[in-house]
Amino acid sequence: QVQLVESGGGLVQPGGSLRLSCAASGSGFNIYAMGWYRQAPGKQRELVASITGGGITNYKDSVTGRFTISRDNAKNTIHLQMNNLKPEDTAVYYCNLILFPQSWGQGTQVTVSS
């Protein structure tokens, strides 16, 4: 079982930036595709960005060009750099394995508001 701990959220004005981090416990982290998900109030959780063990990335259309996912296999961490944030990006953000989902962590709240 991999434990996942997200951090880096906060309150930011539209157009601002945040960098989220996800720390994963356990071994073999570098071989797993990882993803950042988000869940807005009243909505289902959705995948916004993913990265394979080899570094191939994929993004939800609405965040393409604004969000960048990266990973540091030596530190068992993944990051999500979020630029030009919009109010519709407001949600709790989670990380997880793509193919072998683990128990969800607490997530980190991102609020985009003026």
Side-chain angles (χ1 to χ4, degrees):
Q1 183 77 6
V2 176
Q3 290 188 324
L4 303 161
V5 179
E6 303 90 350
S7 62
L11 172 63
V12 64
Q13 292 186 342
S17 299
L18 284 172
R19 186 174 188 247
L20 307 184
S21 297
C22 167
S25 66
S27 60
F29 170 82
N30 58 307
I31 68 173
Y32 297 119
M34 298 290 297
W36 279 100
Y37 299 76
R38 68 186 180 189
Q39 187 167 21
K43 295 187 177 181
Q44 289 193 337
R45 190 172 289 156
E46 62 179 1
L47 177 66
V48 296
S50 63
I51 185 166
T52 67
I56 297 172
T57 59
N58 198 23
Y59 299 93
K60 179 179 172 65
D61 286 348
S62 62
V63 307
T64 297
R66 301 188 297 121
F67 290 10
T68 302
I69 188 172
S70 61
R71 67 190 300 158
D72 184 340
N73 289 333
K75 295 182 178 180
N76 277 18
T77 59
I78 64 169
H79 302 283
L80 186 68
Q81 177 67 42
M82 306 186 295
N83 298 327
N84 190 21
L85 282 160
K86 302 177 180 181
E88 52 263 42
D89 296 318
T90 295
V92 180
Y93 284 71
Y94 304 86
C95 62
N96 213 327
L97 281 66
I98 297 292
L99 293 180
F100 308 102
Q102 305 296 295
S103 297
W104 293 97
Q106 295 293 316
T108 186
Q109 175 71 49
V110 172
T111 303
V112 185
S113 174
S114 55

